[in-house]
Amino acid sequence: FQRYKSCLYDLTGTLGSENSQSFLSDLYYVKFADLSTSKKKCYNQLSNKVAFEYSDWLDLIAKESIKIGKKRPILIVCENVEATGNIWNELIRNGVPPHTTEKYRRDATNKGERGTDISVDPEVNKQEGLHVILNYPPENVRVEEQAFGRTARNGAVGTGQFILQVDKFVYEHMYELDQYPTDQRKLKVEELADMILEREKNQSR
């Protein structure tokens, strides 16, 4: 950047947060500009969900996958191989036929599925397109954008959501959830899901 100065340009769809841009700007003295995409992105973020217990987390992912998977394909992005195997087993335990699922593995250098292009049948786009479930708080905005960027590509439609397992004791104390009966506590956790998600993302970055 410093050698070619104003003669060098670059395009990226997943540069990251404002902090990342600020860092690169200070280091290389470069400027940034936002360009609109050639096709409008038809992406819809569904309600995020959180669970306190690991078993409840697996159950949430399985039930959400089964519900949405009746009409369209789902991509579940996991943080590690162990989570992938446990979610696979939970899907099978809930009656999902093994031949309808597929496991993909990427090493740490390709975390977030960078460069992976997923194409779906045009008929799928009539049913809201590919759905992406991200089940861990990504380490930065770039990884998050890459994960959810697997859907709603090139003008197609698509949806995504977070389903996280979080520390029960932290949030029960923080939001005084013990004062609620079991049914009300569950509804309260659903209401707090987005706030909890943002806190988890901030802590992981």
Side-chain angles (χ1 to χ4, degrees), residues 17-33:
S17 65
E18 292 183 3
N19 288 337
S20 298
Q21 294 183 26
S22 178
F23 171 76
L24 292 175
S25 179
D26 293 341
L27 182 63
Y28 295 112
Y29 307 105
V30 295
K31 296 180 180 180
F32 299 91

PDB file of all heavy atoms in Angstrom, residues 17-33:
ATOM      1  N   SER A  17     -14.930  -4.978  11.260  1.00  0.00           N
ATOM      2  CA  SER A  17     -15.546  -3.891  12.021  1.00  0.00           C
ATOM      3  C   SER A  17     -14.871  -2.556  11.730  1.00  0.00           C
ATOM      4  O   SER A  17     -13.845  -2.473  11.046  1.00  0.00           O
ATOM      5  CB  SER A  17     -15.435  -4.197  13.510  1.00  0.00           C
ATOM      6  OG  SER A  17     -14.077  -4.208  13.899  1.00  0.00           O
ATOM      7  N   GLU A  18     -15.435  -1.498  12.311  1.00  0.00           N
ATOM      8  CA  GLU A  18     -14.839  -0.172  12.182  1.00  0.00           C
ATOM      9  C   GLU A  18     -13.463  -0.133  12.829  1.00  0.00           C
ATOM     10  O   GLU A  18     -12.572   0.589  12.368  1.00  0.00           O
ATOM     11  CB  GLU A  18     -15.754   0.870  12.825  1.00  0.00           C
ATOM     12  CG  GLU A  18     -17.063   1.083  12.078  1.00  0.00           C
ATOM     13  CD  GLU A  18     -17.914   2.175  12.700  1.00  0.00           C
ATOM     14  OE1 GLU A  18     -17.436   2.800  13.680  1.00  0.00           O
ATOM     15  OE2 GLU A  18     -19.031   2.405  12.214  1.00  0.00           O
ATOM     16  N   ASN A  19     -13.275  -0.920  13.892  1.00  0.00           N
ATOM     17  CA  ASN A  19     -11.963  -0.977  14.543  1.00  0.00           C
ATOM     18  C   ASN A  19     -10.913  -1.550  13.600  1.00  0.00           C
ATOM     19  O   ASN A  19      -9.767  -1.086  13.571  1.00  0.00           O
ATOM     20  CB  ASN A  19     -12.041  -1.818  15.815  1.00  0.00           C
ATOM     21  CG  ASN A  19     -12.794  -1.111  16.927  1.00  0.00           C
ATOM     22  OD1 ASN A  19     -12.892   0.111  16.944  1.00  0.00           O
ATOM     23  ND2 ASN A  19     -13.331  -1.877  17.861  1.00  0.00           N
ATOM     24  N   SER A  20     -11.298  -2.575  12.826  1.00  0.00           N
ATOM     25  CA  SER A  20     -10.369  -3.179  11.867  1.00  0.00           C
ATOM     26  C   SER A  20     -10.006  -2.178  10.784  1.00  0.00           C
ATOM     27  O   SER A  20      -8.839  -2.054  10.390  1.00  0.00           O
ATOM     28  CB  SER A  20     -10.991  -4.426  11.235  1.00  0.00           C
ATOM     29  OG  SER A  20     -11.264  -5.398  12.208  1.00  0.00           O
ATOM     30  N   GLN A  21     -10.990  -1.441  10.300  1.00  0.00           N
ATOM     31  CA  GLN A  21     -10.733  -0.443   9.275  1.00  0.00           C
ATOM     32  C   GLN A  21      -9.824   0.656   9.816  1.00  0.00           C
ATOM     33  O   GLN A  21      -8.910   1.118   9.126  1.00  0.00           O
ATOM     34  CB  GLN A  21     -12.046   0.148   8.779  1.00  0.00           C
ATOM     35  CG  GLN A  21     -12.923  -0.845   8.037  1.00  0.00           C
ATOM     36  CD  GLN A  21     -14.183  -0.207   7.492  1.00  0.00           C
ATOM     37  OE1 GLN A  21     -14.210   0.991   7.229  1.00  0.00           O
ATOM     38  NE2 GLN A  21     -15.227  -0.990   7.331  1.00  0.00           N
ATOM     39  N   SER A  22     -10.086   1.064  11.044  1.00  0.00           N
ATOM     40  CA  SER A  22      -9.274   2.112  11.657  1.00  0.00           C
ATOM     41  C   SER A  22      -7.824   1.662  11.811  1.00  0.00           C
ATOM     42  O   SER A  22      -6.887   2.431  11.562  1.00  0.00           O
ATOM     43  CB  SER A  22      -9.865   2.489  13.016  1.00  0.00           C
ATOM     44  OG  SER A  22      -9.073   3.478  13.651  1.00  0.00           O
ATOM     45  N   PHE A  23      -7.647   0.384  12.192  1.00  0.00           N
ATOM     46  CA  PHE A  23      -6.295  -0.157  12.352  1.00  0.00           C
ATOM     47  C   PHE A  23      -5.541  -0.137  11.025  1.00  0.00           C
ATOM     48  O   PHE A  23      -4.388   0.301  10.948  1.00  0.00           O
ATOM     49  CB  PHE A  23      -6.375  -1.581  12.902  1.00  0.00           C
ATOM     50  CG  PHE A  23      -5.066  -2.314  12.896  1.00  0.00           C
ATOM     51  CD1 PHE A  23      -4.092  -2.040  13.834  1.00  0.00           C
ATOM     52  CD2 PHE A  23      -4.805  -3.277  11.926  1.00  0.00           C
ATOM     53  CE1 PHE A  23      -2.865  -2.705  13.822  1.00  0.00           C
ATOM     54  CE2 PHE A  23      -3.585  -3.959  11.906  1.00  0.00           C
ATOM     55  CZ  PHE A  23      -2.624  -3.660  12.857  1.00  0.00           C
ATOM     56  N   LEU A  24      -6.190  -0.612   9.957  1.00  0.00           N
ATOM     57  CA  LEU A  24      -5.539  -0.642   8.645  1.00  0.00           C
ATOM     58  C   LEU A  24      -5.268   0.759   8.119  1.00  0.00           C
ATOM     59  O   LEU A  24      -4.255   1.009   7.474  1.00  0.00           O
ATOM     60  CB  LEU A  24      -6.416  -1.411   7.653  1.00  0.00           C
ATOM     61  CG  LEU A  24      -6.556  -2.913   7.911  1.00  0.00           C
ATOM     62  CD1 LEU A  24      -7.543  -3.532   6.937  1.00  0.00           C
ATOM     63  CD2 LEU A  24      -5.212  -3.611   7.814  1.00  0.00           C
ATOM     64  N   SER A  25      -6.198   1.658   8.416  1.00  0.00           N
ATOM     65  CA  SER A  25      -6.016   3.045   7.976  1.00  0.00           C
ATOM     66  C   SER A  25      -4.808   3.683   8.649  1.00  0.00           C
ATOM     67  O   SER A  25      -4.002   4.364   8.003  1.00  0.00           O
ATOM     68  CB  SER A  25      -7.277   3.850   8.286  1.00  0.00           C
ATOM     69  OG  SER A  25      -7.122   5.194   7.893  1.00  0.00           O
ATOM     70  N   ASP A  26      -4.653   3.431   9.936  1.00  0.00           N
ATOM     71  CA  ASP A  26      -3.517   3.992  10.679  1.00  0.00           C
ATOM     72  C   ASP A  26      -2.202   3.348  10.252  1.00  0.00           C
ATOM     73  O   ASP A  26      -1.159   4.012  10.210  1.00  0.00           O
ATOM     74  CB  ASP A  26      -3.715   3.795  12.181  1.00  0.00           C
ATOM     75  CG  ASP A  26      -4.872   4.611  12.733  1.00  0.00           C
ATOM     76  OD1 ASP A  26      -5.267   5.578  12.061  1.00  0.00           O
ATOM     77  OD2 ASP A  26      -5.374   4.273  13.823  1.00  0.00           O
ATOM     78  N   LEU A  27      -2.252   2.062   9.924  1.00  0.00           N
ATOM     79  CA  LEU A  27      -1.028   1.330   9.592  1.00  0.00           C
ATOM     80  C   LEU A  27      -0.546   1.615   8.170  1.00  0.00           C
ATOM     81  O   LEU A  27       0.651   1.839   7.941  1.00  0.00           O
ATOM     82  CB  LEU A  27      -1.265  -0.173   9.756  1.00  0.00           C
ATOM     83  CG  LEU A  27      -0.065  -1.096   9.489  1.00  0.00           C
ATOM     84  CD1 LEU A  27       1.056  -0.817  10.481  1.00  0.00           C
ATOM     85  CD2 LEU A  27      -0.494  -2.553   9.576  1.00  0.00           C
ATOM     86  N   TYR A  28      -1.494   1.643   7.202  1.00  0.00           N
ATOM     87  CA  TYR A  28      -1.116   1.767   5.799  1.00  0.00           C
ATOM     88  C   TYR A  28      -1.527   3.092   5.156  1.00  0.00           C
ATOM     89  O   TYR A  28      -1.281   3.311   3.972  1.00  0.00           O
ATOM     90  CB  TYR A  28      -1.740   0.623   4.991  1.00  0.00           C
ATOM     91  CG  TYR A  28      -1.211  -0.736   5.383  1.00  0.00           C
ATOM     92  CD1 TYR A  28      -2.035  -1.660   6.011  1.00  0.00           C
ATOM     93  CD2 TYR A  28       0.113  -1.100   5.134  1.00  0.00           C
ATOM     94  CE1 TYR A  28      -1.557  -2.917   6.373  1.00  0.00           C
ATOM     95  CE2 TYR A  28       0.602  -2.344   5.490  1.00  0.00           C
ATOM     96  CZ  TYR A  28      -0.238  -3.246   6.114  1.00  0.00           C
ATOM     97  OH  TYR A  28       0.237  -4.482   6.475  1.00  0.00           O
ATOM     98  N   TYR A  29      -2.194   3.961   5.933  1.00  0.00           N
ATOM     99  CA  TYR A  29      -2.636   5.262   5.409  1.00  0.00           C
ATOM    100  C   TYR A  29      -3.570   5.097   4.210  1.00  0.00           C
ATOM    101  O   TYR A  29      -3.426   5.774   3.193  1.00  0.00           O
ATOM    102  CB  TYR A  29      -1.427   6.125   5.017  1.00  0.00           C
ATOM    103  CG  TYR A  29      -0.413   6.266   6.125  1.00  0.00           C
ATOM    104  CD1 TYR A  29       0.790   5.574   6.077  1.00  0.00           C
ATOM    105  CD2 TYR A  29      -0.676   7.067   7.233  1.00  0.00           C
ATOM    106  CE1 TYR A  29       1.717   5.683   7.100  1.00  0.00           C
ATOM    107  CE2 TYR A  29       0.253   7.185   8.269  1.00  0.00           C
ATOM    108  CZ  TYR A  29       1.442   6.482   8.190  1.00  0.00           C
ATOM    109  OH  TYR A  29       2.346   6.593   9.201  1.00  0.00           O
ATOM    110  N   VAL A  30      -4.498   4.176   4.311  1.00  0.00           N
ATOM    111  CA  VAL A  30      -5.453   3.949   3.232  1.00  0.00           C
ATOM    112  C   VAL A  30      -6.816   4.512   3.621  1.00  0.00           C
ATOM    113  O   VAL A  30      -7.112   4.717   4.798  1.00  0.00           O
ATOM    114  CB  VAL A  30      -5.595   2.440   2.903  1.00  0.00           C
ATOM    115  CG1 VAL A  30      -4.294   1.897   2.351  1.00  0.00           C
ATOM    116  CG2 VAL A  30      -6.024   1.667   4.148  1.00  0.00           C
ATOM    117  N   LYS A  31      -7.631   4.764   2.602  1.00  0.00           N
ATOM    118  CA  LYS A  31      -8.983   5.259   2.808  1.00  0.00           C
ATOM    119  C   LYS A  31      -9.984   4.181   2.387  1.00  0.00           C
ATOM    120  O   LYS A  31      -9.671   3.307   1.586  1.00  0.00           O
ATOM    121  CB  LYS A  31      -9.208   6.534   1.991  1.00  0.00           C
ATOM    122  CG  LYS A  31      -8.335   7.698   2.424  1.00  0.00           C
ATOM    123  CD  LYS A  31      -8.610   8.933   1.574  1.00  0.00           C
ATOM    124  CE  LYS A  31      -7.731  10.102   2.018  1.00  0.00           C
ATOM    125  NZ  LYS A  31      -7.987  11.315   1.191  1.00  0.00           N
ATOM    126  N   PHE A  32     -11.207   4.271   2.928  1.00  0.00           N
ATOM    127  CA  PHE A  32     -12.240   3.288   2.645  1.00  0.00           C
ATOM    128  C   PHE A  32     -13.477   3.966   2.079  1.00  0.00           C
ATOM    129  O   PHE A  32     -13.776   5.116   2.395  1.00  0.00           O
ATOM    130  CB  PHE A  32     -12.625   2.533   3.924  1.00  0.00           C
ATOM    131  CG  PHE A  32     -11.488   1.766   4.529  1.00  0.00           C
ATOM    132  CD1 PHE A  32     -10.666   2.351   5.482  1.00  0.00           C
ATOM    133  CD2 PHE A  32     -11.241   0.457   4.155  1.00  0.00           C
ATOM    134  CE1 PHE A  32      -9.616   1.646   6.042  1.00  0.00           C
ATOM    135  CE2 PHE A  32     -10.193  -0.245   4.703  1.00  0.00           C
ATOM    136  CZ  PHE A  32      -9.378   0.340   5.647  1.00  0.00           C
ATOM    137  N   ALA A  33     -14.171   3.235   1.241  1.00  0.00           N
ATOM    138  CA  ALA A  33     -15.440   3.710   0.686  1.00  0.00           C
ATOM    139  C   ALA A  33     -16.385   2.523   0.568  1.00  0.00           C
ATOM    140  O   ALA A  33     -15.970   1.412   0.221  1.00  0.00           O
ATOM    141  CB  ALA A  33     -15.224   4.344  -0.681  1.00  0.00           C
TER     142      ALA A  33
END
